[in-house]
């Protein structure tokens, strides 16, 4: 009986090694596909040989008070280089599919570009971006938003220590890092008609700076222009 149990245990251990190879050596996470079709061209007076396009592919989470909204994938494209020896950049586009808001009766949120960006990093922040969010639901009017293009949400992101900067490839240059904004202020909704109080209550709006968190885990790939 002891021999039978020992043989069975050995067989199960061997089977486990074959069935779960990832336990011995975890496979790296696959890189997203990078689409450079939205890269804006450098300005006419750009310094030759200094310009490149950057494509960001991020997974984002917005926390409003105690409500967490998984934003899913966001794609952002811009070009940067020099003009007359000085840093310059040209925004391309922001793509974001509507993200379902759990517990909001089928409502969704879609981020849009708010007309301003600055991706030149410094010691204090990784970058800045103006955004607004379109809120969708069969009972909400078409123009229901959180922030507007004329009065956008201003996000200043800093490095997230939980997702340190990492070079994944040199050819093509590909990096990964995390950013976080803990100071984003969120106003009441705009253009939501008679359901505005309901939308505000469901989302916990308005929500002051310090009560919200906007996090992104970002992959970036570069292309010389």
């Amino acid at each position: 009986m002891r021999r039978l149990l020992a043989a069975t245990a050995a067989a199960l251990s061997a089977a486990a090694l074959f069935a779960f190879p990832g336990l011995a050596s975890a496979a790296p996470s696959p890189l997203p596909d990078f689409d450079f079709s939205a890269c804006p061209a450098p300005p006419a007076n750009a310094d030759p040989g200094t310009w490149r396009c950057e494509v960001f592919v991020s997974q984002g989470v917005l926390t409003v008070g105690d409500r967490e909204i998984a934003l899913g994938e966001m794609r952002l494209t811009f070009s940067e280089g020099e003009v007359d020896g000085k840093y310059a950049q040209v925004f391309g586009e922001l793509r974001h599919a509507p993200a379902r808001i759990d517990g909001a009766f089928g409502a969704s949120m879609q981020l849009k570009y708010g007309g301003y960006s600055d991706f030149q990093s410094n010691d204090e922040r990784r970058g800045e971006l103006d955004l607004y969010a379109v809120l969708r639901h069969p009972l909400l009017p078409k123009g229901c938003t959180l922030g507007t293009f004329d009065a956008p949400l201003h996000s200043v992101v800093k490095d997230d220590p939980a997702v340190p900067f990492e070079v994944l490839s040199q050819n093509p240059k590909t990096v990964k890092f995390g950013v976080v904004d803990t100071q984003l202020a969120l106003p009441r909704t705009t253009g939501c008609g008679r359901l505005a109080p309901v939308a505000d209550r469901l989302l916990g709006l308005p929500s002051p700076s310090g009560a919200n968190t906007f996090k992104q885990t970002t992959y970036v790939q570069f292309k010389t222009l």
Side-chain angles (χ1 to χ4, degrees):
M1 185 66 176
R2 289 181 179 177
R3 290 182 180 178
L4 178 60
L5 291 175
T8 302
L12 289 174
S13 298
L17 289 176
F18 287 103
F20 305 105
L23 295 178
S25 178
S29 299
L31 290 176
D33 293 327
F34 294 94
D35 180 4
F36 289 89
S37 62
C39 291
N45 57 343
D47 295 352
T50 66
W51 280 76
R52 66 182 183 181
C53 180
E54 301 188 22
V55 174
F56 288 56
V57 183
S58 305
Q59 291 287 333
V61 176
L62 175 63
T63 303
V64 185
D66 59 357
R67 172 185 286 278
E68 186 174 281
I69 302 172
L71 297 172
E73 183 180 273
M74 295 172 286
R75 289 178 172 263
L76 188 149
T77 306
F78 76 99
S79 297
E80 65 177 0
E82 293 184 357
V83 174
D84 296 330
K86 298 181 180 179
Y87 178 81
Q89 55 190 292
V90 180
F91 186 82
E93 69 173 15
L94 170 67
R95 302 180 195 172
H96 179 234
R100 185 182 179 90
I101 304 172
D102 290 341
F105 307 100
S108 66
M109 173 183 292
Q110 183 178 26
L111 298 181
K112 299 283 188 177
Y113 179 55
Y116 172 80
S117 61
D118 182 359
F119 301 111
Q120 187 178 22
S121 301
N122 57 39
D123 293 338
E124 296 181 355
R125 89 289 189 273
R126 175 68 65 173
E128 302 182 26
L129 182 66
D130 279 359
L131 302 159
Y132 66 99
V134 176
L135 301 176
R136 291 189 170 89
H137 187 275
L139 299 179
L140 290 174
K142 187 175 181 180
C144 180
T145 63
L146 174 56
T148 66
F149 185 85
D150 294 326
L153 314 174
H154 183 63
S155 178
V156 180
V157 295
K158 299 182 179 183
D159 290 325
D160 184 357
V163 187
F165 184 90
E166 181 181 2
V167 177
L168 303 178
S169 171
Q170 290 289 356
N171 187 24
K173 182 68 173 292
T174 308
V175 301
K176 176 187 177 183
F177 56 85
V179 293
V180 58
D181 178 2
T182 59
Q183 300 302 312
L184 182 65
L186 301 175
R188 297 184 186 277
T189 56
T190 299
C192 298
R194 291 181 296 178
L195 289 180
V198 177
D200 290 341
R201 186 166 60 253
L202 283 173
L203 294 175
L205 303 174
S207 188
S209 174
N212 315 301
T213 304
F214 181 31
K215 283 190 174 186
Q216 299 175 68
T217 298
T218 301
Y219 293 84
V220 186
Q221 196 167 92
F222 305 83
K223 178 182 178 182
T224 301
L225 296 177

